[in-house]
Amino acid sequence: MTTVETGDDGLPFQNPHAVREDARENNLERAIGHEVRTLRKKLGITGSDLASATGISLGMLSKIENGNTSPSLTTLQSLAQALGVPVTAFFRRFEESRNAMFVKAGEGVELERRGTRAGHQYNLLGHIGNNTSGVVVEPYLITLTTDSDVFPTFQHEGLEFLYMLEGEVHYRHGDRLYPMAPGDSLFFDADAPHGPEVLVKLPARYLSIISYPEKARGRR
């Protein structure tokens, strides 16, 4: 019997190092199965309904949706007709590229964000646009080198993770201040006002990783 570790909410933890079984052998089958299941659920029909409409047995349809068999072209044509899509729709996930971005030290894109001023430097370390997760992630290296009378306060959708690399700051989130030194981290809901409020030891550098749903990109 397999034991699945869950969190306080009862949902299983995702293993970031998990490897799909037989990934090399049946990537195409898994991609086709994923599309068949997604399209079927989008139409709101059951597996039995789709099996009846195509003349495919329910057991075979289950194998197709789970990526456990390689359907024939005739079977794919029957599924495509029943689901109202071209046969090529089943291959979209398989053909999608999986992007990566490598940034050499010192080559991040320096940019200005709201509240940026002298002594506050933001370097975007990478960016992947359209991706299969539906989540946008923006990793920044933030460097604070000059004390200032006014500190930027940010507020936006999504979640943010900070990891302190150098120096010390007191970082505000909502109505609380967190003293941060090298090795400290802070993970928070970015919808609350937040930002460095007291620069204790300069220069200060920390990683800021922001994530938010792709649909929210235009509202930030």
Side-chain angles (χ1 to χ4, degrees):
M1 181 176 178
T2 303
T3 301
V4 178
E5 188 176 1
T6 60
D8 295 336
D9 55 5
L11 297 176
F13 287 123
Q14 175 173 280
N15 180 0
H17 304 294
V19 178
R20 291 178 179 173
E21 295 180 3
D22 302 323
R24 291 184 178 180
E25 289 77 6
N26 62 358
N27 266 348
L28 177 57
E29 288 81 359
R30 288 178 181 272
I32 291 173
H34 178 274
E35 292 302 325
V36 171
R37 183 186 298 109
T38 299
L39 290 166
R40 174 175 64 76
K41 290 184 176 180
K42 187 176 181 180
L43 292 175
I45 61 177
T46 66
S48 297
D49 292 334
L50 184 57
S52 297
T54 58
I56 301 170
S57 71
L58 185 58
M60 177 57 71
L61 179 61
S62 177
K63 287 183 179 181
I64 292 172
E65 290 195 353
N66 289 317
N68 294 328
T69 188
S70 181
S72 67
L73 180 58
T74 300
T75 298
L76 289 177
Q77 288 175 328
S78 297
L79 288 168
Q81 184 176 5
L83 294 169
V85 297
V87 172
T88 54
F90 299 133
F91 301 96
R92 286 182 300 207
R93 185 175 177 86
F94 180 74
E95 294 173 345
E96 286 177 347
S97 62
R98 305 297 192 268
N99 297 321
M101 187 173 184
F102 176 65
V103 178
K104 292 286 288 183
E107 293 184 1
V109 178
E110 186 172 347
L111 47 79
E112 291 190 359
R113 295 180 63 196
R114 181 178 58 83
T116 302
R117 54 182 48 78
H120 294 179
Q121 180 180 335
Y122 298 83
N123 287 92
L124 181 63
L125 299 181
H127 179 77
I128 294 177
N130 294 332
N131 62 78
T132 58
S133 71
V135 176
V136 177
V137 179
E138 297 176 354
Y140 294 93
L141 174 62
I142 299 177
T143 305
L144 309 178
T145 56
T146 305
D147 201 355
S148 174
D149 294 330
V150 180
F151 298 96
T153 299
F154 302 103
Q155 190 172 3
H156 51 84
E157 294 189 57
L159 301 173
E160 186 164 353
F161 175 78
L162 305 181
Y163 185 83
M164 203 71 190
L165 298 172
E166 180 183 3
E168 296 180 25
V169 303
H170 290 175
Y171 198 93
R172 175 169 294 282
H173 177 259
D175 58 359
R176 294 191 61 181
L177 278 177
Y178 296 89
M180 298 189 66
D184 292 341
S185 63
L186 185 62
F187 185 46
F188 54 86
D189 184 338
D191 191 48
H194 58 274
E197 186 157 311
V198 182
L199 306 185
V200 179
K201 182 179 179 181
L202 296 175
R205 289 192 310 140
Y206 57 90
L207 290 175
S208 168
I209 301 174
I210 301 170
S211 63
Y212 54 92
E214 190 168 12
K215 64 181 180 180
R217 184 185 310 192
R219 302 200 300 268
R220 297 183 67 246

